[in-house]
Amino acid sequence: MMTHKDKGLPDERDWVKEAGRGPGRPSRDLSDGDEDPLYVRIANDIEKQIHQGKLVPGDRIGSQTELAQQYNVSITTSRKAHEALRTRHLAHTVAGAGTFVGPEDTTPAPQVMPTYLVIADELATRIRAGDIPPGRQIPSRRMLAKRFQTSLVTAGEATAALREKNWVYTIADTGSYVTPAEKWPSEQEWHKTIARHRGRREEK
């Protein structure tokens, strides 16, 4: 099987550091079905959320990075969870956009984010979690384009969205770097930014 290195993609450790999943990081309870592999328990938990109506057809399921952080597991485990959901015909994956509830012909939910915002939101999550600390350079446009299987233009739009909200600053011909934490938008402000781009009305 071709590895990330063979494909010229960034190593998974660049996206979710083992240290970033240590004690104190919030995670969902996977105590049910302890005899099952972790990826099966994650898939079962997401399936339960679907049956409970917490996730509906067209909703975006957490990315591999997000699931790894949420359940305190490795990227490999979260990838297998995605595969299990697809095998059960509970989800499908759109290259460069994400994994969504329902089969491939499911109509996307209205809140589904454009690809550039999916990238920006994932990077913002990693920045706030401390995986990319202030002063550290974020992945380049080329690396983001490869990681999310999208265009350089879309990757550039993601960086621009982060820069607009003071997550990062850019030095010409060098790259974009994380700003000091006091400059970051609040979670509520960032949520409203995402809501606007999704086409939802802002909460008053």
Side-chain angles (χ1 to χ4, degrees), residues 29-44:
D29 181 18
L30 293 177
S31 57
D32 292 339
D34 287 340
E35 68 281 0
D36 293 325
L38 277 173
Y39 78 89
V40 172
R41 282 184 267 165
I42 294 172
N44 289 345

Side-chain angles (χ1 to χ4, degrees), residues 80-102:
K80 288 183 177 180
H82 272 184
E83 292 172 353
L85 290 169
R86 288 195 294 269
T87 299
R88 299 179 191 183
H89 304 291
L90 291 171
H92 67 283
T93 298
V94 178
T99 297
F100 304 89
V101 176

Side-chain angles (χ1 to χ4, degrees), residues 95-138:
T99 297
F100 304 89
V101 176
E104 292 185 5
D105 58 353
T106 300
T107 301
Q111 71 269 26
V112 172
M113 293 184 289
T115 302
Y116 82 91
L117 199 58
V118 172
I119 299 172
D121 191 41
E122 182 164 325
L123 287 172
T125 298
R126 292 192 60 221
I127 290 171
R128 199 183 294 279
D131 292 339
I132 312 178
R136 180 73 59 82
Q137 185 176 5
I138 66 171

